[in-house]
Amino acid sequence: MLSFDLPDHTPTVTVHLVEDLTKEQLLAFPAFQRWLSTLNSSLARQKYSDHAFHEHPYILRKITIQSIDWFGPPGSKLGFVKLKAEVKSDPIGMLPGVVFLRGGSVAVLMIVRPRDARDERWVIMTEQPRIPAGSLSFMEIPAGMMDDTTRTFAGVAAKEIKEEVGLTLREDELVDMTRLAVQGHKSPENLANAMYPSPGGCDEYIAIFLWEKEMDRLEIENLKDKLMGERTEQEKITVRLLNYERLLEVGGRDAKTLAAWSLYEYLKRTREIS
Amino acid sequence: MSTFILPNSSPECQRSLATQISAEHTFHTSPYRLRKIEVQVVDYFGKGRIGFLKLQTDVSNDDGEKLPGCVFMRGGSVGMLVILQPDDIPPGTETEKQVILTIQPRIAAGSLSFSEIPAGMLDDSGTFSGGAAKEIQEETGLQVQESELIDMTALALSDSPTQEGEENLQQGVYPSPGGCDEYIPLFLYEKRIPRSQMREFQGKLTGLREEGERITLKLVRLERLWGEGARDGKTLAAWALYSGLKGEGKI
């Protein structure tokens, strides 16, 4: 087990690693880079005399890596890193510093509307096992990531949606709702323009997009037939169609779904989206 | 490192796995089973009380197909939408309603001043609403009776069938079901107070100093909550439930 000092940090910040994780691997992990850079810029703001902690500023002293999970064979791609950061102010004390590090992601509120009834809305959802929630069939809006190369919504949910209903979501068809919402509230701290589900323990931030499309009634009915019956195939993710009116009731255990509803409803009411 | 065999208990996971017995269940032909749990990390909250666990679980079927099994385990929290209204405004309107937000360091988000609705971790004893009342008191200074709190998640989710048989999930919002067991019942507390008292909340310093909490309060107009609180999942979730329930006349 090794430790090293973070480059370019004064005072010194020692990082204690675990076995099977090298300094290079940790420093190359995008989530670690982003978290550390955001934290450092937030700590730096304490130098301003109007900052709440200006008198007794907090300082990053130490980082202890506790566990790592690889997405694939060890050494391939880091998935999750669990760490403890020691951020301390003399004489005030320490801040809670447990971090479950996993980086950002995106989610899409996918709405289809029949041309013959524009007030009717259907939402494309995913239903899948979520072991942390103790569920084999958790309902959510599709989650994944933006592929920088193809500029499309990507990941296991996106793949299943493409297979089931033949839809690929291109970046230019998506409205970034979280960005619109935080527009008037720029973060002086360089936080992401996204929704943080659990900022007390996790670095995760989720950009919530809207994809809304009009379709012929026949296309909508075809979707219903395909997606509203019993699950027959042993797919890990099942694509579902849900009436928008039931979104809170059926999707309400999923924070992303509630957040997407909030953003969509508010943006609609203020006419930022039609 | 020591190991033991899990005694015959019924956590939520076992209940959901049991639903695969039903012939209509998607996974009926090749059901998943919980085979192993590895505890990777424990974080204690003083006096030997477990705070967080990091687990790796093996949930797989006989064909060797695995489900993503990393769990950051921390139990439930409560979130509170605390709405104040000056008592010189006629009752029954949404005019001049203000929401109390907490601003505090959130190291995981890399922030020293993250805005959220008041929230706190549930401890093992007591009810969700008891935990909520306690957190409101600690974070806002308001003394609240459990009976004055409205459990919005219970109201909004009460009719919802689970898609496959009878899973037994919590009546709460799950911030990150793909990685964490956390669930958050969301409560509503509304109070009409003299206009002069409302101003006292702006900039008030609260939180339990001895637990390292450094909380500053701010008031945000209800109609602006979605923008000011848009980075906080709990705030957007609470606004959704409040608006939805109001729209249906349930609150």
Side-chain angles (χ1 to χ4, degrees), chain B:
Chain B
M1 199 164 22
S2 62
T3 62
F4 69 97
I5 308 292
L6 202 61
N8 200 13
S9 55
S10 55
E12 277 143 28
C13 214
Q14 298 283 55
R15 174 76 170 262
S16 299
L17 293 172
T19 64
Q20 295 174 105
I21 279 175
S22 160
E24 291 94 49
H25 198 290
T26 314
F27 303 139
H28 175 73
T29 41
S30 200
Y32 289 95
R33 300 197 199 290
L34 175 62
R35 299 179 198 269
K36 191 170 89 164
I37 299 174
E38 185 194 333
V39 180
Q40 297 166 293
V41 188
V42 185
D43 295 295
Y44 289 99
F45 288 171
K47 298 188 182 121
R49 201 161 60 93
I50 295 178
F52 305 124
L53 286 174
K54 172 71 179 52
L55 312 175
Q56 234 176 41
T57 66
D58 177 352
V59 180
S60 53
N61 61 20
D62 290 338
D63 300 322
E65 285 182 45
K66 277 178 183 254
L67 294 175
C70 287
V71 184
F72 180 45
M73 181 163 279
R74 53 178 297 169
S77 303
V78 272
M80 286 77 63
L81 187 61
V82 180
I83 302 180
L84 304 176
Q85 189 180 40
D87 61 9
D88 54 26
I89 301 280
T93 72
E94 299 291 278
T95 318
E96 289 198 64
K97 280 191 173 177
Q98 305 242 35
V99 179
I100 299 181
L101 293 186
T102 59
I103 307 170
Q104 65 184 309
R106 290 304 204 184
I107 296 303
S111 168
L112 288 182
S113 54
F114 202 93
S115 295
E116 302 160 70
I117 56 170
M121 294 183 66
L122 288 166
D123 63 31
D124 304 320
S125 62
T127 57
F128 291 164
S129 52
K134 180 165 157 288
E135 286 298 330
I136 292 180
Q137 213 261 306
E138 282 170 12
E139 301 203 352
T140 72
L142 287 166
Q143 299 269 39
V144 158
Q145 300 299 321
E146 281 182 51
S147 53
E148 295 176 277
L149 298 173
I150 294 176
D151 186 336
M152 293 196 291
T153 27
L155 273 180
L157 303 175
S158 55
D159 295 318
S160 92
T162 49
Q163 294 291 125
E164 301 257 26
E166 302 296 320
E167 287 195 346
N168 190 27
L169 302 186
Q170 298 291 340
Q171 293 277 42
V173 177
Y174 288 73
S176 196
C180 186
D181 75 320
E182 188 181 20
Y183 57 90
I184 311 182
L186 289 169
F187 287 88
L188 172 66
Y189 176 64
E190 295 203 66
K191 196 174 171 88
R192 291 162 56 78
I193 61 175
R195 195 172 281 273
S196 54
Q197 267 184 46
M198 283 190 62
R199 277 184 237 119
E200 284 170 20
F201 287 94
Q202 188 71 19
K204 185 173 175 182
L205 300 176
T206 64
L208 297 177
R209 258 44 189 172
E210 61 274 18
E211 287 185 10
E213 291 183 345
R214 300 277 302 267
I215 298 176
T216 308
L217 300 183
K218 73 175 174 184
L219 288 177
V220 170
R221 284 183 16 222
L222 181 60
E223 66 267 21
R224 302 199 60 206
L225 183 64
W226 76 287
E228 294 245 18
R231 285 192 178 87
D232 178 41
K234 299 181 294 297
T235 301
L236 289 178
W239 194 90
L241 294 178
Y242 177 82
S243 307
L245 289 170
K246 265 255 176 263
E248 288 170 27
K250 287 187 180 169
I251 54 174

Side-chain angles (χ1 to χ4, degrees), chain A residues 35 38-40 42-43 45-46 51-53 56 58 66-70 80 82 84-85 87 89 92 94-102 127 129-140 177-178 180-182 184-189 191-204 206 208 230-238 240 242 245-246 248-256 258-263 265-267 269-270 272, chain B residues 12-14 16-20 24-32 40-45 52-57 59 61 63 65-74 104-114 116 153 156-157 159-164 167 169-182 184 186 209 211-214 216 222-224 226-228 230-241 243-245 248:
Chain A
W35 167 74
T38 307
L39 179 63
N40 280 332
S42 300
L43 291 171
R45 298 189 66 253
Q46 295 174 107
H51 194 288
F53 307 143
H56 302 293
Y58 286 96
Q66 297 170 298
S67 73
I68 57 175
D69 299 289
W70 298 98
F80 307 127
K82 169 90 170 33
K84 215 154 124 161
V87 179
S89 154
I92 308 286
M94 281 226 287
L95 289 173
V98 169
V99 184
F100 183 48
L101 205 63
R102 52 179 301 174
E127 186 182 349
R130 289 302 203 181
I131 296 306
S135 172
L136 288 181
S137 50
F138 203 91
M139 287 285 272
E140 301 163 64
M177 294 198 289
T178 28
L180 276 178
V182 302
H185 311 276
K186 278 190 96 58
S187 160
E189 281 186 320
L191 297 178
N193 292 328
M195 182 271 274
Y196 287 73
S198 196
C202 187
D203 74 320
E204 188 181 20
I206 308 177
I208 301 184
E230 272 170 23
R231 295 158 86 178
T232 46
E233 296 164 26
Q234 181 110 347
E235 298 284 3
K236 281 189 197 164
I237 290 192
T238 302
R240 291 291 199 186
L242 182 66
E245 299 299 312
R246 298 192 69 212
L248 291 189
E249 177 201 330
V250 177
R253 276 186 177 81
D254 177 42
K256 306 183 288 301
L258 291 182
W261 186 95
S262 278
L263 294 169
E265 283 292 321
Y266 203 84
L267 288 168
R269 289 176 206 183
T270 55
E272 297 236 17
Chain B
E12 277 143 28
C13 214
Q14 298 283 55
S16 299
L17 293 172
T19 64
Q20 295 174 105
E24 291 94 49
H25 198 290
T26 314
F27 303 139
H28 175 73
T29 41
S30 200
Y32 289 95
Q40 297 166 293
V41 188
V42 185
D43 295 295
Y44 289 99
F45 288 171
F52 305 124
L53 286 174
K54 172 71 179 52
L55 312 175
Q56 234 176 41
T57 66
V59 180
N61 61 20
D63 300 322
E65 285 182 45
K66 277 178 183 254
L67 294 175
C70 287
V71 184
F72 180 45
M73 181 163 279
R74 53 178 297 169
Q104 65 184 309
R106 290 304 204 184
I107 296 303
S111 168
L112 288 182
S113 54
F114 202 93
E116 302 160 70
T153 27
L157 303 175
D159 295 318
S160 92
T162 49
Q163 294 291 125
E164 301 257 26
E167 287 195 346
L169 302 186
Q170 298 291 340
Q171 293 277 42
V173 177
Y174 288 73
S176 196
C180 186
D181 75 320
E182 188 181 20
I184 311 182
L186 289 169
R209 258 44 189 172
E211 287 185 10
E213 291 183 345
R214 300 277 302 267
T216 308
L222 181 60
E223 66 267 21
R224 302 199 60 206
W226 76 287
E228 294 245 18
R231 285 192 178 87
D232 178 41
K234 299 181 294 297
T235 301
L236 289 178
W239 194 90
L241 294 178
S243 307
L245 289 170
E248 288 170 27

Side-chain angles (χ1 to χ4, degrees), chain A:
Chain A
M1 222 182 317
L2 276 166
S3 63
F4 69 95
D5 292 340
L6 280 177
D8 308 315
H9 275 73
T10 315
T12 309
V13 178
T14 308
V15 180
H16 298 270
L17 296 165
V18 287
E19 273 173 46
D20 310 325
L21 179 70
T22 66
K23 165 184 169 182
E24 290 68 34
Q25 286 165 338
L26 180 66
L27 293 180
F29 184 35
F32 182 78
Q33 290 170 356
R34 198 190 199 291
W35 167 74
L36 185 61
S37 129
T38 307
L39 179 63
N40 280 332
S41 66
S42 300
L43 291 171
R45 298 189 66 253
Q46 295 174 107
K47 66 176 185 264
Y48 298 122
S49 56
D50 62 349
H51 194 288
F53 307 143
H54 175 73
E55 214 181 311
H56 302 293
Y58 286 96
I59 299 173
L60 175 63
R61 298 242 171 242
K62 187 168 88 171
I63 296 173
T64 307
I65 308 298
Q66 297 170 298
S67 73
I68 57 175
D69 299 289
W70 298 98
F71 281 168
S76 56
K77 189 175 178 203
L78 266 177
F80 307 127
V81 171
K82 169 90 170 33
L83 62 83
K84 215 154 124 161
E86 193 178 290
V87 179
K88 200 166 171 216
S89 154
D90 297 319
I92 308 286
M94 281 226 287
L95 289 173
V98 169
V99 184
F100 183 48
L101 205 63
R102 52 179 301 174
S105 62
V106 314
V108 189
L109 178 62
M110 291 182 67
I111 296 181
V112 293
R113 296 158 76 171
R115 274 185 238 280
D116 62 4
R118 296 195 70 244
D119 283 340
E120 200 181 306
R121 288 179 168 89
W122 297 87
V123 187
I124 293 177
M125 305 284 283
T126 57
E127 186 182 349
Q128 64 185 307
R130 289 302 203 181
I131 296 306
S135 172
L136 288 181
S137 50
F138 203 91
M139 287 285 272
E140 301 163 64
I141 58 171
M145 62 220 96
M146 286 310 296
D147 183 321
D148 286 332
T149 327
T150 60
R151 310 215 77 90
T152 58
F153 177 56
V156 283
K159 183 164 166 283
E160 199 57 37
I161 287 168
K162 177 148 195 233
E163 279 176 21
E164 287 297 309
V165 294
L167 291 168
T168 303
L169 309 190
R170 292 188 330 261
E171 199 176 42
D172 58 13
E173 294 176 295
L174 301 175
V175 175
D176 188 337
M177 294 198 289
T178 28
R179 182 173 288 271
L180 276 178
V182 302
Q183 217 152 232
H185 311 276
K186 278 190 96 58
S187 160
E189 281 186 320
N190 200 28
L191 297 178
N193 292 328
M195 182 271 274
Y196 287 73
S198 196
C202 187
D203 74 320
E204 188 181 20
Y205 51 89
I206 308 177
I208 301 184
F209 292 96
L210 170 69
W211 178 93
E212 197 168 9
K213 201 165 192 166
E214 269 192 354
M215 290 182 171
D216 292 328
R217 171 59 67 180
L218 188 59
E219 278 180 275
I220 303 265
E221 294 304 314
N222 283 342
L223 276 181
K224 278 193 208 173
D225 285 340
K226 212 172 195 306
L227 306 179
M228 291 182 86
E230 272 170 23
R231 295 158 86 178
T232 46
E233 296 164 26
Q234 181 110 347
E235 298 284 3
K236 281 189 197 164
I237 290 192
T238 302
V239 183
R240 291 291 199 186
L241 195 68
L242 182 66
N243 191 305
Y244 183 80
E245 299 299 312
R246 298 192 69 212
L247 191 59
L248 291 189
E249 177 201 330
V250 177
R253 276 186 177 81
D254 177 42
K256 306 183 288 301
T257 301
L258 291 182
W261 186 95
S262 278
L263 294 169
Y264 180 71
E265 283 292 321
Y266 203 84
L267 288 168
K268 240 183 356 149
R269 289 176 206 183
T270 55
R271 310 274 196 90
E272 297 236 17
I273 52 184
S274 57

